[in-house]
Amino acid sequence: MAMPRSSFFSFSYGFTYDVFLSFRGTDTRYGFTGNLYRALSDGGFCTFIDDRELHGGDEITQSLVKAIEESMIFIPVFSINYASSIFCLDELVHIIHCFDQEKGRKILPIFYDVEPSHVRHQTGSYGKAIARHEKRFQNNKEKYNYNMKRLHKWKMALNQAANLSGHHFNPRNEYQYKFIGDIVKNVSNKINRAPLHVVDYPVGMQSRVLKVNSLLEVASNYEVKMIGIYGLGGMGKTTLARAVYNFIANQFECVCFLHNVRENSAKHGLEHLQKDFLSKTVGLDIKLGDSSEGIPIIKQRLHRKKVLLVLDDVNELKQVQVLAGGLDWFSVGSRVIITTRDKHLLSSHGIELTYEIDELNKEEALELLTWKAFKSKQVNSSYEHVLNRAVNYASGLPLALEVLGSNLFGKNIKEWNSLLDRYERIPNKEIQKILKVSFDALEEDEQSVFLDIACCFKGYNLKQMEDMLSDHYGQCMKYHIGVLVKKTLLRICRWNYSVTMHDLIEDMGKEIVRQESVREPGKRSRLWFHEDIFQAIEENSGTSQIEIIHLDFPLPQAIVEWKGDEFKKMKNLKTLIVKTSSFSKPLVHLPNSLKVLEWHGLKDIPSDFLPNNLSICKLPNSSLTSFKLANSLKERMFLGMKVLHLDKCYRLTEISDVSSLQNLEEFSFRWCRNLLTIHDSVGCLKKLKILKAEGCSNLKSFPPIQLTSLELLELSYCYRLKKFPEILVKMENIVGIDLEETSIDELPDSFQNLIGIQYLILDGHGIFLRFPCSTLMMPKQSDKPSSMLSSNVQVIVLTNCNLTDESLPIVLRWFTNVTYLHLSKNNFTILPECIEEHGSLRILNLVCIKL
């Protein structure tokens, strides 16, 4: 009996055996069937042959049933005494059953010195054999019904098998070796190909193959389907495609796996790939001068063929267009699988079925690394810590795990740690080379944006990062970031919209910048590693090459020795971010080239700084006083500033005249607990969209507002604020207002000018809250307000507002289209009938209400 393949190979190929031979041993074992088995085996086909002479019992064994179920092609050798064997007939019934269940399987009947019609209609020797079985069954009264059903199944199986196309052999006038050669050739054509090598250690492969297979729906023959497998380089896209190919290839008339499309099209041209495709599918050897010549030939030769085509590592849309341009190129039931790093390429070709290959989980990664490093599942427990360290470094990337495992094979724990230390400083060249392919495919400006994010902005909120990069480059970054996402170099977390990337992709980007100047950090375009920044500052070796510095001190006690003017040499520095700072002397110079400045705890703004180009200025926890801020805003040109943050500036007592900031879009002075007054100019900034004064606990009043562009106003936790600011103009762009934890007990009539508002958060501290026109004081009023305010509000929080049974109905009439209504900590005891009119209401919060 032939030895079965390994458990994984059986899975990836779909079958344990290529061929199952069903025959009558006494007729052909040592002659025709024995020679056929030898020829098939010599041809490389894994063939099952039952070499036992005798069987015990009256039914086929479970091992034979299992072998039938794990075989792809069945060859029943119908010899003169075949039907005399109960075992042969039971085998044939189960073969027919599997053939019906699995469309990819094939039956190739051999009529050895018998007429096909004798098998089909059970005449001749087959009729006599069936009659003998029937007579014997009639003598067994206990199993009569069971046996007669069995007899019927034999007849049906013989008839169905004999109706299939097969080979008729007459040993008296035909050479056996030639006949057997034709059978082997036929088997070869039906199998179409040798299985592809998938991987030595198929960790985590089975579940991924089954996911892709469920998308392909191979059993459905009503349409042509194209599916894309996309993800990072080194993630295992090719490996997965090979496993899927092996798993389903037997169900197609023509199959072709085109490897390394990106590389081969660059080296040999697209017409070479077309030629290879035609050769592998229909055996056509043709010369093509241009890919345009190949398109009509592919369509002509394959439009009636059920095709399986895999295009591996595609990087240009043209490659797909000349090889699988349309669904009408192939017959229904065909499947095209494309692997790529570029998700956008798939959507550009109209491919909607996609599968993003994910990283190996920790258990899978540990298993793969263990196999590669130790060639065994059994590992000394002393390696546990360093194994976990290596797994964390690889971050689920199969390529990295395989490279690490190979490099660490045979080494002790000390050598493991040493090598990992080295890789954390300088990435492995083999891994870097594979990952860098995606970077090299980017346009120059996309490469620059990618390096900015990899080196400095991983983990930032998407909008925050877009704003900084847009001001850094002076153009919108949405397209560039979109490209990086589609090429799987970036990911956007759905739950908080933070921007992230695979750890090794981040390392790849940082290594590209490090290679700009290996020895002198001051000559690189971007600095992020604190030691490199310290070196460039303390040695005063910074140059005009530096465009971004992103410094986040790892240790609070680290102090940088400097004079304070080291930025003078960095004449092209556009973005400077200092998260925490401990410098030996005050800052005395900032380059005028700055467009983005974020400095936590800045003592003072240098007197020679001319912020003509500055667009984003964030100075949280700074030591700015109201006097210094007033002088800075008055004396310097801040015309381009769009964002100004002065959060937690505890020495700030007044927001002075900001009328010079006519392009300001976002102004935040949150948690300035000593802030007492705000200049009226704050309420006149025509382009201002976001205004945040949250946590200014000593602020008692707010200037009138005529901010037509304003979208968000935050005044929460301004505990002493008693009056809501007057709204001097109609504000259509306002979306939200947060007045939680204030002392405001009345909204002015001008509140109705906030006609665009969608959510409103109020907290009355138990004080009776009065709405515009004192409507809550007039419970008999039944008319709905005419203001557009009421129709736009979707979310309203009215906690602790002393709402009563009389006032609540009036509130509800104001906000007729609300979807979320929070009424906790109020004094009403019943819900008014008018709440039934709120058809849009989805969530009603009544915590701490005693109804």
Side-chain angles (χ1 to χ4, degrees):
M1 187 188 303
M3 292 296 292
R5 294 181 173 92
S6 68
S7 59
F8 171 72
F9 195 75
S10 172
F11 163 75
S12 65
Y13 183 52
F15 301 103
T16 302
Y17 304 101
D18 296 313
V19 180
F20 181 97
L21 294 176
S22 177
F23 62 98
R24 181 72 163 119
T26 55
D27 286 353
T28 62
R29 178 185 303 281
Y30 300 112
F32 174 79
T33 301
N35 292 332
L36 176 59
Y37 171 74
R38 176 63 181 270
L40 288 168
S41 298
D42 289 347
F45 301 108
C46 188
T47 306
F48 181 92
I49 183 172
D50 186 4
D51 57 3
R52 291 172 294 181
E53 289 289 343
L54 298 174
H55 303 278
D58 195 33
E59 297 182 355
I60 59 173
T61 63
Q62 274 304 116
S63 62
L64 282 176
V65 171
K66 186 172 185 293
I68 292 170
E69 293 173 350
E70 294 179 353
S71 297
M72 175 183 173
I73 294 180
F74 305 103
I75 302 181
V77 181
F78 293 123
S79 58
I80 193 168
N81 293 308
Y82 183 93
S84 298
S85 169
I86 289 176
F87 284 90
C88 287
L89 294 171
D90 281 343
E91 274 184 2
L92 185 64
V93 168
H94 201 62
I95 285 170
I96 294 296
H97 172 75
C98 291
F99 174 68
D100 287 340
Q101 296 294 315
E102 304 267 359
K103 293 184 179 180
R105 287 173 164 150
K106 299 172 178 66
I107 296 178
L108 183 62
I110 305 297
F111 303 97
Y112 184 84
D113 202 17
V114 297
E115 290 298 323
S117 60
H118 291 179
V119 181
R120 186 179 302 117
H121 302 297
Q122 294 93 58
T123 58
S125 63
Y126 279 72
K128 295 177 182 178
I130 292 296
R132 286 196 296 270
H133 293 314
E134 184 174 5
K135 183 178 180 179
R136 185 162 60 90
F137 288 162
Q138 288 174 347
N139 294 330
N140 189 339
K141 300 300 183 181
E142 294 180 2
K143 291 186 176 182
Y144 177 78
N145 290 333
Y146 166 76
N147 284 329
M148 294 309 293
K149 289 180 181 179
R150 193 177 178 190
L151 184 73
H152 177 71
K153 290 180 180 179
W154 292 345
K155 292 179 179 180
M156 294 294 293
L158 288 168
N159 179 270
Q160 188 172 345
N163 278 319
L164 297 171
S165 177
H167 296 263
H168 186 195
F169 178 67
N170 187 334
R172 287 171 291 280
N173 56 17
E174 189 173 356
Y175 288 114
Q176 189 180 101
Y177 76 88
K178 185 177 183 302
F179 181 75
I180 288 176
D182 291 339
I183 295 173
V184 173
K185 184 177 180 180
N186 195 342
V187 169
S188 180
N189 289 336
K190 288 183 181 299
I191 290 182
N192 288 313
R193 51 81 176 124
L196 302 173
H197 173 70
V198 178
V199 67
D200 291 333
Y201 303 105
V203 177
M205 188 61 62
Q206 181 168 342
S207 62
R208 291 165 174 83
V209 169
L210 293 178
K211 286 178 182 177
V212 174
N213 190 53
S214 67
L215 291 175
L216 288 168
E217 293 184 316
V218 177
S220 172
N221 286 318
Y222 301 108
E223 59 183 332
V224 177
K225 285 190 176 184
M226 293 188 181
I227 182 174
I229 301 174
Y230 70 95
L232 295 176
M235 195 64 77
K237 299 183 296 297
T238 299
T239 302
L240 176 59
R242 287 173 181 165
V244 172
Y245 173 88
N246 285 350
F247 191 60
I248 65 174
N250 57 82
Q251 302 182 52
F252 295 86
E253 188 177 356
C254 299
V255 297
C256 178
F257 193 113
L258 290 178
H259 301 268
N260 304 318
V261 170
R262 171 181 56 84
E263 182 179 342
N264 287 324
S265 62
K267 285 183 178 180
H268 309 293
L270 294 172
E271 59 276 3
H272 170 79
L273 294 174
Q274 291 176 322
K275 181 179 177 181
D276 195 15
F277 181 23
L278 289 166
S279 175
K280 289 181 176 180
T281 50
V282 293
L284 181 62
D285 187 10
I286 188 173
K287 291 183 179 181
L288 297 172
D290 186 80
S291 60
S292 62
E293 299 175 10
I295 292 175
I297 299 174
I298 292 174
K299 294 172 68 174
Q300 179 187 12
R301 292 300 185 101
L302 293 172
H303 78 282
R304 293 185 178 179
K305 302 285 187 182
K306 184 180 176 182
V307 176
L308 172 61
L309 171 63
V310 180
L311 304 178
D312 175 49
D313 193 17
V314 171
N315 71 322
E316 294 180 0
L317 184 59
K318 183 70 172 178
Q319 295 160 355
V320 183
Q321 291 173 336
V322 303
L323 292 164
L327 299 178
D328 60 338
W329 285 28
F330 315 115
S331 176
V332 291
S334 295
R335 298 292 183 266
V336 178
I337 301 172
I338 299 168
T339 74
T340 182
R341 304 182 187 208
D342 187 352
K343 183 182 180 181
H344 180 65
L345 183 150
L346 300 172
S347 58
S348 297
H349 195 64
I351 298 173
E352 298 178 355
L353 287 174
T354 60
Y355 175 74
E356 181 178 10
I357 189 168
D358 52 350
E359 299 96 344
L360 298 179
N361 61 41
K362 189 169 183 178
E363 291 74 19
E364 293 169 338
L366 187 60
E367 182 181 351
L368 178 57
L369 180 64
T370 302
W371 270 112
K372 294 295 291 186
F374 298 97
K375 312 301 180 188
S376 170
K377 288 186 176 181
Q378 303 300 321
V379 183
N380 190 307
S381 59
S382 61
Y383 277 85
E384 181 178 353
H385 176 74
V386 73
L387 272 169
N388 286 326
R389 182 185 174 192
V391 165
N392 290 335
Y393 170 78
S395 300
L397 192 73
L399 167 70
L401 291 162
E402 292 186 2
V403 171
L404 278 176
S406 298
N407 291 345
L408 294 170
F409 177 70
K411 292 182 171 60
N412 58 40
I413 295 176
K414 185 177 181 181
E415 290 173 312
W416 274 58
N417 281 312
S418 177
L419 191 62
L420 288 170
D421 288 341
R422 174 183 163 191
Y423 286 163
E424 287 173 356
R425 294 193 311 272
I426 305 173
N428 173 271
K429 288 183 178 180
E430 186 176 351
I431 299 173
Q432 183 81 357
K433 179 181 178 182
I434 296 296
L435 297 179
K436 192 172 178 288
V437 170
S438 297
F439 173 82
D440 292 336
L442 298 172
E443 298 294 336
E444 184 177 344
D445 52 350
E446 294 161 0
Q447 289 181 341
S448 184
V449 172
F450 166 76
L451 294 178
D452 293 339
I453 299 171
C455 295
C456 303
F457 300 123
K458 177 185 175 183
Y460 272 65
N461 172 269
L462 176 60
K463 184 181 185 306
Q464 183 184 13
M465 186 188 71
E466 281 181 349
D467 290 344
M468 286 193 295
L469 290 175
S470 294
D471 290 310
H472 180 97
Y473 288 98
Q475 58 178 301
C476 182
M477 288 289 107
K478 289 186 179 295
Y479 172 78
H480 299 81
I481 292 172
V483 168
L484 298 177
V485 170
K486 289 170 183 175
K487 292 185 180 293
T488 65
L489 290 169
L490 286 186
R491 290 179 180 173
I492 310 299
C493 293
R494 294 182 179 179
W495 65 278
N496 65 353
Y497 291 99
S498 63
V499 180
T500 186
M501 62 177 60
H502 193 278
D503 290 345
L504 293 181
I505 290 291
E506 176 188 357
D507 291 347
M508 179 265 289
K510 289 180 175 178
E511 178 62 10
I512 290 172
V513 174
R514 192 186 75 87
Q515 288 294 330
E516 293 174 353
S517 178
V518 175
R519 302 295 180 188
E520 299 183 52
K523 293 183 178 180
R524 300 173 194 161
S525 58
R526 302 155 181 88
L527 293 178
W528 64 91
F529 184 44
H530 65 278
E531 291 185 4
D532 292 337
I533 297 174
F534 292 172
Q535 180 182 334
I537 289 177
E538 292 178 345
E539 296 178 358
N540 197 13
S541 58
T543 68
S544 59
Q545 297 296 316
I546 302 175
E547 294 188 4
I548 298 179
I549 292 179
H550 189 287
L551 175 59
D552 195 349
F553 279 59
L555 299 173
Q557 62 268 30
I559 298 178
V560 182
E561 296 292 335
W562 74 339
K563 295 179 180 179
D565 64 351
E566 280 76 0
F567 291 117
K568 280 186 176 180
K569 292 183 178 181
M570 306 178 194
K571 296 181 180 179
N572 289 318
L573 185 65
K574 296 178 182 177
T575 297
L576 174 60
I577 297 174
V578 181
K579 292 288 188 179
T580 54
S581 58
S582 295
F583 294 92
S584 60
K585 295 180 180 179
L587 174 69
V588 297
H589 179 81
L590 281 173
N592 296 332
S593 56
L594 278 178
K595 295 186 176 182
V596 178
L597 172 63
E598 180 179 344
W599 194 308
H600 295 239
L602 182 67
K603 305 299 182 186
D604 198 2
I605 299 175
S607 59
D608 65 343
F609 179 47
L610 298 176
N612 296 3
N613 298 305
L614 194 63
S615 181
I616 296 177
C617 182
K618 297 182 180 181
L619 304 175
N621 294 297
S622 75
S623 300
L624 283 176
T625 63
S626 299
F627 175 76
K628 290 178 180 178
L629 177 64
N631 286 343
S632 296
L633 294 173
K634 182 178 180 180
E635 297 175 0
R636 306 179 196 189
M637 299 297 290
F638 285 94
L639 294 178
M641 187 177 294
K642 295 179 181 178
V643 176
L644 177 59
H645 284 192
L646 301 171
D647 301 337
K648 296 184 180 179
C649 292
Y650 300 132
R651 299 181 65 184
L652 203 61
T653 59
E654 178 188 4
I655 299 296
S656 52
D657 188 351
V658 294
S659 56
S660 62
L661 306 181
Q662 288 302 306
N663 289 304
L664 198 64
E665 296 178 3
E666 183 175 328
F667 193 12
S668 176
F669 39 90
R670 301 163 62 241
W671 304 105
C672 293
R673 60 192 180 201
N674 292 311
L675 184 67
L676 299 175
T677 59
I678 298 174
H679 194 272
D680 285 354
S681 60
V682 172
C684 303
L685 300 172
K686 294 182 179 180
K687 293 186 179 181
L688 195 65
K689 296 180 180 179
I690 296 174
L691 180 56
K692 296 182 179 181
E694 176 188 3
C696 295
S697 53
N698 280 301
L699 187 66
K700 294 182 179 180
S701 64
F702 207 91
I705 291 176
Q706 44 184 337
L707 304 172
T708 54
S709 299
L710 194 67
E711 298 173 1
L712 175 64
L713 175 62
E714 282 194 4
L715 298 176
S716 57
Y717 300 98
C718 293
Y719 299 113
R720 298 190 179 186
L721 187 63
K722 294 184 177 181
K723 291 186 178 181
F724 188 83
E726 288 290 333
I727 310 300
L728 302 182
V729 295
K730 290 191 181 297
M731 294 170 54
E732 298 180 357
N733 294 307
I734 189 72
V735 174
I737 294 178
D738 189 347
L739 301 177
E740 185 179 2
E741 297 289 335
T742 70
S743 296
I744 296 173
D745 62 354
E746 182 175 6
L747 300 177
D749 289 350
S750 63
F751 189 82
Q752 296 178 82
N753 285 328
L754 302 172
I755 57 178
I757 190 170
Q758 295 180 23
Y759 74 85
L760 175 64
I761 300 177
L762 300 172
D763 189 328
H765 286 286
I767 300 172
F768 189 84
L769 183 65
R770 291 179 290 277
F771 273 68
C773 301
S774 299
T775 53
L776 297 188
M777 297 297 292
M778 297 180 290
K780 296 182 180 180
Q781 179 178 335
S782 59
D783 297 332
K784 294 181 180 180
S786 60
S787 171
M788 286 293 292
L789 168 67
S790 61
S791 63
N792 289 328
V793 175
Q794 297 178 21
V795 176
I796 183 166
V797 178
L798 297 172
T799 59
N800 206 17
C801 290
N802 201 19
L803 292 174
T804 64
D805 291 334
E806 292 75 23
S807 59
L808 179 59
I810 302 175
V811 172
L812 294 178
R813 292 190 182 102
W814 261 84
F815 306 109
T816 55
N817 292 321
V818 66
T819 59
Y820 175 85
L821 181 59
H822 191 144
L823 299 174
S824 66
K825 299 180 181 178
N826 279 289
N827 295 325
F828 58 87
T829 60
I830 60 173
L831 285 174
E833 293 181 1
C834 63
I835 199 169
E836 296 179 355
E837 301 172 9
H838 291 67
S840 300
L841 187 62
R842 295 292 178 267
I843 299 175
L844 176 62
N845 191 323
L846 298 174
V847 176
C848 298
I849 299 295
K850 296 181 179 179
L851 297 177

